[in-house]
Amino acid sequence: MASLNLAGKTSGYVKLTAPDDSSTNPTVTLPTESGELALKSDIGEGGTGGGEVQEAVVMRSSISATSTLTNDTWTNIVFDEVEEDTNNCLNTSTGEYTPNVEGYYLVSASTLSSATDIRRGISGVWLNDDRIQQGTETYNDGVTVDSITSNTTTIVKCNGTTDKICVKALGRGANPVQVMKGYGTKFNVSLITGQSTGGGSGGGTTDILPVL
């Protein structure tokens, strides 16, 4: 029967490996201070705790039909075409995204506005009733165009229960401005990950470390 004798004082960690010659009696040493042994795979490579990495939360959407705007009035855009929604948090009837995981979210939105003699077309990101950020725009009452693309990217913090994110647009033209469907009009949200739900850094080998 094999046995392991621990003696002396040292530092670092010990890796146990089967000897090439089973007749030998390899000896390892550990610190003399009181402590316990743990698998490195349990506490993580170079870390002091396990922890699980938060899974990705992602939503990507577009619109299935054009949306008509009232001049100089912020209008909610109903994103009803789901391209990806890992947590099923997009309300396709209202276009509102209600995250069910608390945290910081990266939000990006774009709108392609079109009309005869359009002078303004701009997107914005709302959190509940507050406008968080306004997108890029071309605005010149003296020069009209046929279309305007507006982009915006921001970060919002959501409580994971009641906070709602949505995209609105504002336009101005000689005729009613329309937000067009297609690649120019998108609403994307993703949880900013990188934190873990426990301490330390994960992953490792089956080496053995002293935890003192």
Side-chain angles (χ1 to χ4, degrees), residues 1-3 18-26:
M1 181 179 66
S3 63
D20 295 333
D21 184 355
S22 60
S23 64
T24 62
N25 294 308

Side-chain angles (χ1 to χ4, degrees), residues 39-50:
L39 289 177
K40 187 190 292 185
S41 57
D42 290 338
I43 68 174
E45 182 74 35
T48 57

Side-chain angles (χ1 to χ4, degrees), residues 74-95:
W74 285 104
T75 302
N76 185 61
I77 306 302
V78 179
F79 287 84
D80 58 351
E81 287 285 320
V82 178
E83 298 172 3
E84 184 173 9
D85 188 3
T86 57
N87 288 30
N88 298 314
C89 294
L90 179 67
N91 185 331
T92 55
S93 297
T94 64

Side-chain angles (χ1 to χ4, degrees), residues 67 69-70 72-77 111-113 121-126 150 167-171 177 179:
S67 180
L69 307 179
T70 300
D72 298 315
T73 301
W74 285 104
T75 302
N76 185 61
I77 306 302
T111 54
L112 173 60
S113 301
I122 182 172
S123 63
V125 173
W126 259 251
S150 177
V167 175
K168 297 185 181 184
L170 180 147
V177 176
V179 175

Side-chain angles (χ1 to χ4, degrees), residues 23-42:
S23 64
T24 62
N25 294 308
T27 300
V28 296
T29 58
L30 290 174
T32 57
E33 293 83 359
S34 298
E36 61 181 303
L37 295 179
L39 289 177
K40 187 190 292 185
S41 57
D42 290 338

Side-chain angles (χ1 to χ4, degrees), residues 94-106:
T94 64
E96 295 175 323
Y97 183 75
T98 307
N100 57 9
V101 177
E102 181 181 3
Y104 289 92
Y105 286 81
L106 179 66

